[in-house]
Amino acid sequence: MSQPPVPDGAVWIAGDRIRAVGRWPDLKPARPARVVDLGEVLVLPGLVNAHCHLDYTDLAGCLPPPRSFTDWIKHITRAKDRWTVEDFRRSWLRGAQMLLRSGCTAVADVEAVPELLPGCWNGTPLRVISFLEMTGIRARRDPRQVLAETLAVLERLQHPRCSAGLSPHAPYSTRPELLRMAAQEARRRGLRLTIHVAESEEEFAMFRDAAGPMYDWLLRHERDMQDCGGVSPVQHLHRTSCLGANLLAVHANCLARGDAALLARHNVTVVHCPRSHRYFGHPPFPWQRLLRARVRICVGTDSLASVRGQGRCRPELSLFDELQELQRTQPWLSPIRLLRMVTLEPARALGLQGRIGELVEGAFADLTVLPGAGVRSARQAWEAAAAHEGPVESVFIGGVRVWPTSPRA
């Protein structure tokens, strides 16, 4: 992703890291004892999913079609209330397996059930950054208590491959005090922060106009609405000191004038989830405004609770499926840009540049292998990779083949 495609390429792996990348004839004299010829394939960095909810994988197709975004929130809340921790665990692991077979090697996952960790981390070879979700509105809990409990969980989580961050859920579901304190604590500890923001027109109306279905629903549930009126959701994050280079702002579909510039000024990364966007029928994603402002944009899968299947086929968590949706709706996006939004850009957003998302010396040996028969040029390589559908040929994490679990004959 950081240099042109290499024909007749080779990746030299030492331990769990890449030692060199180049043409096979150039690396051949110094090759190690064991050589694996993958055949006529495309080798690219393992994909990086910038936003996911592995917990909700098994909710695919279980929710009735929503009449509104607020309606969907009610449906998923009721569905989650019926699940046990074991239900969430099965769902999490099934989602992780879907990501693996579709070429993903790292995922920024919002974790609503911290009891699953670190057990689920040990149940997958994926590199997982679990963003511990915080709300507190529904239970009317004190923001200090919510944050203290989350930090206690975070401090117990030590893992050689996985890590954690903080996720105040969204401006509408989180008190301003919790947003402010979480942002301050994330900066102090050097943590990444992820927040759903400006996802729907209902959320936008709630903050700008102090009106609309979401405003009315939360008011009935005794949410303090004094933070609503006169600002956009992005501006609300700004006044609670959440905007910064460590923030992944998920969705950002509904922006007021100046919001894109505000995000750019604070080096915020925006994560777009194309299939979820289509599911809700949100307003067109503000591509041009964000790109003109030079905001980094990544792609995520979101959860399968907000993705429709094709025909009778249940949907899968797949970044390649997200790229297919983008090619259908935004054909002007180049294959290079598409692939960078699921490799290099999310790696940078997560503070993992040089370690994941690109094939460079010193990076983890995380590789995705795609069919490559018939590819004869750099342009064809980019196009074939961006257009891939279905399971991949194989996946390596830390130099170990993890998909399929045994080498194919």
Side-chain angles (χ1 to χ4, degrees):
M1 297 303 118
S2 50
Q3 63 178 333
V6 179
D8 194 15
V11 181
W12 184 353
I13 298 171
D16 65 350
R17 303 274 180 156
I18 294 173
R19 181 166 175 178
V21 178
R23 296 180 67 253
W24 168 240
D26 299 333
L27 295 184
K28 194 173 181 180
R31 71 180 185 270
R34 183 167 179 260
V35 176
V36 178
D37 184 353
L38 296 173
E40 291 295 310
V41 298
L42 301 171
V43 179
L44 55 150
L47 306 189
V48 183
N49 188 346
H51 181 69
C52 189
H53 294 264
L54 291 172
D55 291 354
Y56 306 157
T57 300
D58 285 351
L59 285 174
C62 294
L63 304 183
R67 292 169 296 178
S68 66
F69 183 73
T70 303
D71 192 40
W72 180 85
I73 295 172
K74 298 173 188 176
H75 290 325
I76 193 169
T77 300
R78 284 194 290 267
K80 288 163 56 180
D81 286 345
R82 294 192 292 267
W83 274 20
T84 65
V85 171
E86 180 58 23
D87 291 327
F88 283 110
R89 188 190 70 82
R90 283 195 299 269
S91 184
W92 197 106
L93 292 173
R94 203 184 320 274
Q97 188 66 9
M98 288 181 184
L99 289 181
L100 203 61
R101 64 175 174 254
S102 60
C104 185
T105 58
V107 55
D109 182 53
V110 175
E111 185 51 72
V113 188
E115 299 93 319
L116 299 178
L117 306 178
C120 280
W121 284 354
N122 295 325
T124 178
L126 289 171
R127 301 189 192 279
V128 185
I129 304 93
S130 292
F131 288 88
L132 305 180
E133 186 174 82
M134 296 175 284
T135 54
I137 293 290
R138 189 180 176 203
R140 301 180 180 85
R141 301 181 64 215
D142 182 85
R144 288 182 294 272
Q145 182 185 4
V146 173
L147 180 59
E149 292 176 0
T150 302
L151 292 176
V153 172
L154 187 144
E155 288 166 359
R156 292 197 301 268
L157 294 174
Q158 302 294 326
H159 199 274
R161 176 174 29 86
C162 303
S163 60
L166 298 179
S167 178
H169 175 260
Y172 64 83
S173 59
T174 310
R175 294 185 186 178
E177 303 96 304
L178 183 53
L179 287 170
R180 191 174 290 109
M181 290 189 298
Q184 181 180 5
E185 198 62 33
R187 281 192 293 270
R188 189 177 74 82
R189 294 172 178 250
L191 301 173
R192 255 38 192 187
L193 196 69
T194 190
I195 303 174
H196 305 78
V197 61
E199 181 172 3
S200 68
E201 291 177 299
E202 293 164 58
E203 179 188 349
F204 192 82
M206 170 179 162
F207 283 97
R208 184 190 59 186
D209 307 323
M214 180 176 285
Y215 181 92
D216 295 340
W217 176 58
L218 291 171
L219 183 63
R220 287 196 299 273
H221 283 76
E222 300 181 15
R223 181 193 188 276
D224 184 349
M225 308 304 281
Q226 292 183 69
D227 57 345
C228 298
V231 294
S232 71
V234 168
Q235 291 160 7
H236 178 67
L237 289 188
H238 178 51
R239 70 184 179 185
T240 53
S241 303
C242 288
L243 302 186
N246 67 331
L247 175 63
L248 283 75
V250 182
H251 302 304
N253 298 318
C254 303
L255 301 181
R257 178 178 294 182
D259 278 357
L262 189 59
L263 293 168
R265 189 161 71 245
H266 289 86
N267 297 313
V268 173
T269 296
V270 166
V271 183
H272 179 47
C273 302
R275 291 188 297 165
S276 180
H277 191 277
R278 173 162 62 98
Y279 175 90
F280 289 112
H282 290 315
F285 183 71
W287 283 102
Q288 297 304 330
R289 294 164 67 187
L290 292 169
L291 291 175
R292 279 197 301 268
R294 301 195 174 185
V295 174
R296 176 184 293 119
I297 303 174
C298 303
V299 169
T301 60
D302 212 341
S303 81
L304 292 187
S306 58
V307 173
R308 290 189 176 90
Q310 298 293 328
R312 295 183 178 179
C313 297
R314 289 170 68 91
E316 293 249 332
L317 289 173
S318 167
L319 283 170
F320 283 114
D321 286 352
E322 302 296 338
L323 295 188
Q324 304 317 308
E325 175 68 12
L326 282 182
Q327 291 190 65
R328 184 184 69 81
T329 60
Q330 310 294 329
W332 58 274
L333 287 170
S334 70
I336 296 175
R337 186 183 291 276
L338 290 171
L339 290 168
R340 286 172 67 97
M341 289 193 294
V342 294
T343 53
L344 193 60
E345 300 301 351
R348 289 172 174 169
L350 293 166
L352 296 172
Q353 61 269 34
R355 286 183 279 175
I356 63 174
E358 55 185 322
L359 303 183
V360 293
E361 181 181 353
F364 287 115
D366 297 352
L367 318 175
T368 293
V369 183
L370 307 178
V375 173
R376 295 292 179 265
S377 69
R379 179 178 178 179
Q380 288 178 335
W382 287 112
E383 291 174 346
H388 177 76
E389 298 182 37
V392 300
E393 288 284 309
S394 53
V395 176
F396 294 77
I397 296 180
V400 177
R401 191 194 300 253
V402 294
W403 172 264
T405 50
S406 59
R408 295 176 183 175

